């Protein structure tokens, strides 16, 4: 009896070095409805792609193919429908409906189908929140189990792992929802500068290095909940061959992705609030310098998302207009950071720094060196343009697989990064502050800013008047 195929750890499936889009060696032409160019699968009908996913007694699809197809197929077919078709084809091809099963044959096939189901549940656990998915999974295993006792054990293991994973994910989501609810009550629309509304950040954490580490905690915690499929589902359009409905007609299934973008915005406003609040110029300058140091530590850690949020907060007009405050700040360090995140040349400097961090991450010995937290809204924008820029289907109705290999490369790299364990000790006090400290609305920021340094010109004076 054959052993189970080796499972690679889930990261090796994605790391750019382990990601080989070369899914075949034949140079040109067509095989079973799959079109190849220079040995790469470029397009195929949906049926041919589904067939290519299905293991047989002597074939198992490449890891890169499984990830790419499971990620992109949801643009054309819902996961439960796909799994149903995979199961039906297996039943046909392996004659699992025969009154007497060919045990020798099924023992060759069994480990492979189990392996495929395991990879699916590990990489896209959210797909299995649906009863129908679990139903197909169990049905498949019930059919092959009579040929080998071990298959029952495998199934129980698989379901247990899946349940644990889903429980952890939903527990984390509930935590985030709870925090968000608590926060939304506190997004007090401060109309006037409140009598010291809160402890300020420096009383909670005065060490920039520590704050950068705690921000990294929050980022990695939130990233860990984002499923790879959310990147595709964020851009689901109608499939031209199925004019009636989008694949995910019910809700968009991108809640973790959206919650993460909200966190970025909150951090921008928190930085701006902390700077505009103090009544004295000297204190405001001190807060600015503190955040510049925090941003620099974030850069060193590889936490580009917090870095960008801090810079964006400092660049909001209510903050940048405080000329007298800024004149007290040693700005050289700030300009260096701003230069790193400069949008010119499609964020050329940032992309270079990101590649450097990604490279460091690949050769890292410690979790500390593995951290790469990309500037998230730019990652989404890249994926959006990739999606808008190429058709999902070619004029002959084939699936444009070349596009999806590129998509899988970008999402796959992100999945590798989000799996890094945070190496820093957590400080619940600071993290609680980051999530719950009240922040000004935009109007509140302008009011606080005008009270700190009065309006310079007519536009500002009019604005101040209308706000009061």
């Amino acid at each position: 009896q054959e052993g189970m195929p080796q499972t690679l750890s889930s990261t090796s499936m994605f790391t750019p070095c382990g990601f080989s889009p070369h899914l075949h060696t034949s140079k040109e032409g067509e095989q079973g409805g799959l079109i190849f160019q220079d040995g790469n699968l470029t397009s195929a009908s949906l049926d041919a792609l589904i067939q290519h996913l299905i293991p047989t007694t002597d074939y198992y699809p490449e890891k890169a193919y499984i990830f790419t197809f499971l990620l992109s197929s949801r643009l054309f077919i819902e996961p439960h429908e796909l799994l149903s078709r995979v199961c039906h084809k297996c039943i046909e091809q392996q004659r699992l409906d025969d009154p007497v099963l060919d045990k020798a044959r099924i023992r060759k096939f069994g480990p492979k189908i189990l392996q495929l189901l395991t990879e699916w549940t590990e990489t896209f656990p959210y797909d299995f929140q649906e009863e129908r998915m679990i139903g197909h999974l169990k049905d498949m295993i019930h059919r092959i189990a009579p040929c080998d006792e071990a298959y029952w054990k495998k199934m129980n293991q698989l379901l247990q792992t899946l349940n644990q994973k889903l429980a952890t994910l939903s527990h984390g989501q509930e935590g985030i929802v709870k925090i968000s609810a608590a926060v939304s009550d506190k997004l007090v629309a401060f109309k006037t500068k409140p009598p010291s509304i809160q402890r300020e950040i420096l009383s909670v954490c005065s060490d920039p290095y520590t704050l950068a580490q705690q921000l990294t905690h929050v980022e990695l915690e939130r990233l860990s909940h984002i499923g790879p499929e959310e990147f595709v589902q964020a851009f689901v359009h109608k499939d031209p061959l199925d004019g009636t409905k989008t694949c995910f007609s019910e809700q968009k299934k991108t809640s973790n992705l959206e919650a993460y973008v909200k966190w970025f915005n909150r951090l921008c406003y928190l930085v701006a609030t902390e700077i505009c609040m103090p009544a004295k110029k000297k204190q405001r300058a001190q807060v600015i310098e503190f955040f510049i140091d925090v941003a620099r530590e974030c850069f060193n850690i590889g936490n580009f998302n917090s870095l960008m949020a801090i810079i964006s907060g400092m660049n909001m007009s209510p903050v940048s207009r405080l000329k007298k405050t800024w004149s007290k700040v040693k700005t050289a360090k700030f300009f260096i950071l701003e230069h790193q995140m400069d949008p010119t040349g499609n964020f050329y400097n940032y992309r270079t720094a990101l590649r450097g961090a990604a490279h460091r991450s690949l050769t890292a010995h410690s979790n500390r060196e593995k951290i790469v937290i990309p500037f998230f809204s730019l990652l989404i924008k890249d994926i959006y343009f990739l999606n808008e820029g190429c058709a999902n289907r070619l004029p002959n109705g084939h699936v444009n697989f070349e596009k999806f290999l590129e998509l899988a490369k970008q999402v796959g790299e992100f999945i590798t990064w989000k799996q890094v364990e945070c190496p820093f000790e957590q400080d619940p006090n600071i993290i609680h502050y980051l999530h719950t400290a009240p922040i000004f609305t935009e109007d509140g920021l302008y009011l606080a800013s005008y009270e700190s340094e009065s309006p310079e010109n007519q536009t500002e004076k009019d604005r101040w008047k209308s706000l009061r």
Side-chain angles (χ1 to χ4, degrees):
Q1 183 205 329
E2 291 196 335
M4 284 297 288
Q6 279 300 299
T7 338
L8 288 141
S9 75
S10 52
T11 45
S12 61
M13 170 148 124
F14 314 110
T15 33
C17 60
F19 185 97
S20 94
H22 301 287
L23 297 174
H24 245 282
T25 44
S26 70
K27 273 284 162 258
E28 286 298 326
E30 185 176 353
Q31 289 183 337
L34 303 171
I35 310 292
F36 291 92
Q37 231 178 341
D38 299 333
N40 295 331
L41 176 52
T42 53
S43 74
S45 68
L46 188 58
D47 281 339
L49 291 170
I50 294 174
Q51 187 57 60
H52 196 55
L53 180 72
I54 295 174
T56 61
T57 50
D58 51 11
Y59 163 76
Y60 188 76
E62 286 202 17
K63 239 179 161 49
Y65 177 76
I66 297 171
F67 178 62
T68 305
F69 184 59
L70 290 181
L71 179 70
S72 54
S73 60
R74 57 198 71 238
L75 288 168
F76 310 102
I77 178 173
E78 291 197 37
H80 71 88
E81 175 69 14
L82 175 63
L83 185 54
S84 161
R85 282 172 68 175
V86 167
C87 291
H88 282 301
K89 288 197 175 195
C90 288
I91 291 166
E92 257 170 55
Q93 288 161 20
Q94 303 302 326
R95 299 197 289 281
L96 296 177
D97 271 342
D98 287 7
V100 178
L101 294 174
D102 176 348
K103 288 195 172 184
R105 178 195 178 106
I106 289 173
R107 281 204 184 115
K108 277 190 180 148
F109 165 75
K112 295 198 173 82
I113 188 68
L114 279 168
Q115 169 72 5
L116 181 69
L117 295 171
T118 305
E119 283 190 40
W120 193 334
T121 55
E122 279 177 356
T123 317
F124 298 95
Y126 289 124
D127 285 355
F128 292 85
Q129 282 172 318
E130 256 196 272
E131 272 308 302
R132 287 180 285 192
M133 291 290 283
I134 301 286
H136 295 314
L137 195 93
K138 288 181 171 168
D139 174 61
M140 192 66 230
I141 295 174
H142 279 256
R143 288 170 185 277
I144 60 173
C147 299
D148 193 328
E149 280 293 292
Y151 295 163
W152 290 115
K153 222 168 94 180
K154 268 286 163 208
M155 173 172 87
N156 285 329
Q157 234 175 339
L158 186 153
L159 289 174
Q160 237 179 331
T161 313
L162 178 64
N163 283 331
Q164 278 168 341
K165 197 158 189 176
L166 285 173
T168 316
L169 289 168
S170 74
H171 173 69
Q173 275 174 311
E174 279 160 26
I176 285 175
V177 170
K178 269 214 277 299
I179 284 175
S180 303
V183 169
S184 58
D185 305 336
K186 283 200 172 168
L187 296 191
V188 201
F190 295 120
K191 269 299 187 198
T192 55
K193 203 166 196 187
S196 80
I197 58 175
Q198 62 192 65
R199 301 181 297 171
E200 77 292 283
I201 187 81
L202 287 168
S203 70
V204 181
C205 173
S206 57
D207 174 38
Y209 192 65
T210 308
L211 187 62
Q213 293 187 344
Q214 297 310 305
L215 285 168
T216 304
H217 249 295
V218 175
E219 299 277 354
L220 285 170
E221 158 70 22
R222 292 189 162 232
L223 281 184
S224 69
H225 300 295
I226 299 173
E229 70 283 355
E230 294 192 42
F231 289 101
V232 174
Q233 279 153 204
F235 306 122
V236 168
H237 293 310
K238 286 189 167 59
D239 181 358
L241 291 193
D242 175 18
T244 49
K245 60 179 181 70
T246 65
C247 266
F248 287 89
S249 36
E250 355 84 83
Q251 101 293 5
K252 267 281 200 66
K253 299 192 178 167
T254 52
S255 51
N256 301 297
L257 199 136
E258 287 159 28
Y260 189 51
V261 174
K262 278 194 186 127
W263 149 253
F264 178 91
N265 294 335
R266 172 173 169 78
L267 183 52
C268 294
Y269 273 86
L270 180 64
V271 169
T273 300
E274 294 284 349
I275 295 171
C276 290
M277 244 186 357
K280 293 198 169 66
K281 186 164 60 191
K282 193 175 154 196
Q283 283 171 302
R284 291 194 297 274
Q286 193 189 355
V287 178
I288 291 179
E289 293 199 328
F290 173 70
F291 276 119
I292 293 171
D293 289 338
V294 175
R296 197 167 65 162
E297 290 306 337
C298 287
F299 180 83
N300 294 338
I301 288 171
N303 176 357
F304 297 105
N305 203 50
S306 293
L307 164 66
M308 198 57 170
I310 294 171
I311 292 176
S312 307
M314 291 179 161
N315 279 329
M316 286 171 85
S317 347
V319 177
S320 60
R321 67 170 291 281
L322 298 170
K323 306 267 190 311
K324 293 176 185 139
T325 304
W326 280 95
S327 71
K328 297 242 167 280
V329 173
K330 300 188 201 64
T331 46
K333 286 191 287 192
F334 181 62
F335 293 140
I336 292 170
L337 288 171
E338 246 193 338
H339 178 67
Q340 286 294 348
M341 302 312 267
D342 180 5
T344 357
N346 191 7
F347 287 91
Y348 179 80
N349 297 342
Y350 158 69
R351 290 180 192 278
T352 309
L354 179 71
R355 276 199 301 275
H359 186 73
R360 174 185 74 182
S361 176
L362 282 178
T363 54
H365 297 299
S366 66
N367 274 351
R368 173 72 186 70
E369 296 169 329
K370 277 196 187 117
I371 298 171
V372 184
I373 300 168
F375 168 30
F376 194 64
S377 45
L378 187 61
L379 176 70
I380 291 182
K381 206 157 133 190
D382 286 347
I383 290 175
Y384 175 78
F385 282 122
L386 169 66
N387 196 55
E388 288 297 299
C390 328
N392 290 335
R393 288 192 190 261
L394 304 174
N396 65 0
H398 270 194
V399 171
N400 180 2
F401 204 73
E402 241 175 327
K403 167 179 176 173
F404 295 124
L405 278 167
E406 185 49 46
L407 183 72
K409 207 164 95 185
Q410 295 195 11
V411 175
E413 196 168 29
F414 169 77
I415 300 301
T416 311
W417 296 334
K418 82 173 189 124
Q419 287 172 341
V420 175
E421 287 280 312
C422 191
F424 309 121
E425 208 172 316
Q426 207 171 358
D427 183 322
N429 197 10
I430 299 175
I431 288 181
H432 181 74
Y433 184 87
L434 289 171
H435 281 126
T436 58
I439 53 179
F440 286 124
T441 58
E442 194 172 357
D443 286 350
L445 282 173
Y446 272 110
L447 265 171
S449 177
Y450 293 144
E451 282 176 34
S452 298
E453 296 186 18
S454 44
E456 298 267 297
N457 54 38
Q458 206 44 53
T459 324
E460 290 195 345
K461 284 177 187 153
D462 295 345
R463 179 155 201 173
W464 196 18
K465 220 188 222 125
S466 74
L467 286 174
R468 282 188 305 188

